[in-house]
Amino acid sequence: MENDGWVDVRDVPQQGRPDKKEYSVADLGRAALSSWLHDPIEPESVRHDLAVKIRGAAFDDPAALIREVERHRQAHRDRVAHYLAGEARDFTGPEAGAAGPEAPLAAERELQHVVLRGGIAYERMMIDWLDDVLATLARFGPGG
């Protein structure tokens, strides 16, 4: 992005540590971002390898997937817990609703928060779906 002129870089001298670089968005970068934001994109289709395995389990031993589904469920539980901790840290308390002196900063925070809420909703949906999968697979276990 620096080579394309999208960001400006400023060297910041520091005492007792290596100098650091401070980046800011250049006019060309803002124009490129604006252009990209206005370009239409296709809605995404979610395809999970786990879903393909679940579908294929009908031709083998469905109960054999229980441990793998439980592992995925735990990963999604861990991720939603991480997201919720970030939300509590960054979007609660007296600073959460503060618009600040600049409207763009308020928009930046609110848009960051709405994306985070989407991630939380997605992870919760996956946990619900995996609970459904586990209940279905359990019916095919020993004696099912």
Side-chain angles (χ1 to χ4, degrees), residues 78-143:
D78 292 346
R79 201 170 301 141
V80 79
H82 176 76
Y83 290 169
L84 289 170
E87 181 180 43
R89 180 192 65 230
D90 298 337
F91 297 103
T92 59
E95 298 293 319
E102 298 180 26
L105 180 60
E108 179 182 329
R109 283 189 50 78
E110 187 59 31
L111 293 172
Q112 180 183 5
H113 194 198
V114 77
V115 169
L116 177 60
R117 291 192 310 265
I120 292 167
Y122 173 79
E123 296 303 328
R124 286 178 169 159
M125 180 275 305
M126 286 299 298
I127 293 165
D128 289 346
W129 175 65
L130 292 170
D131 286 344
D132 186 21
V133 170
L134 286 169
T136 303
L137 291 174
R139 293 199 317 259
F140 299 106

Side-chain angles (χ1 to χ4, degrees), residues 48-92:
H48 296 278
D49 290 341
L50 181 60
V52 175
K53 281 190 172 200
I54 293 165
R55 181 65 181 98
F59 303 100
D60 190 53
D61 177 13
L65 281 177
I66 290 174
R67 184 173 297 150
E68 181 67 1
V69 173
E70 288 172 339
R71 187 177 72 81
H72 280 255
R73 184 179 183 277
Q74 187 58 50
H76 287 285
R77 289 176 64 88
D78 292 346
R79 201 170 301 141
V80 79
H82 176 76
Y83 290 169
L84 289 170
E87 181 180 43
R89 180 192 65 230
D90 298 337
F91 297 103
T92 59

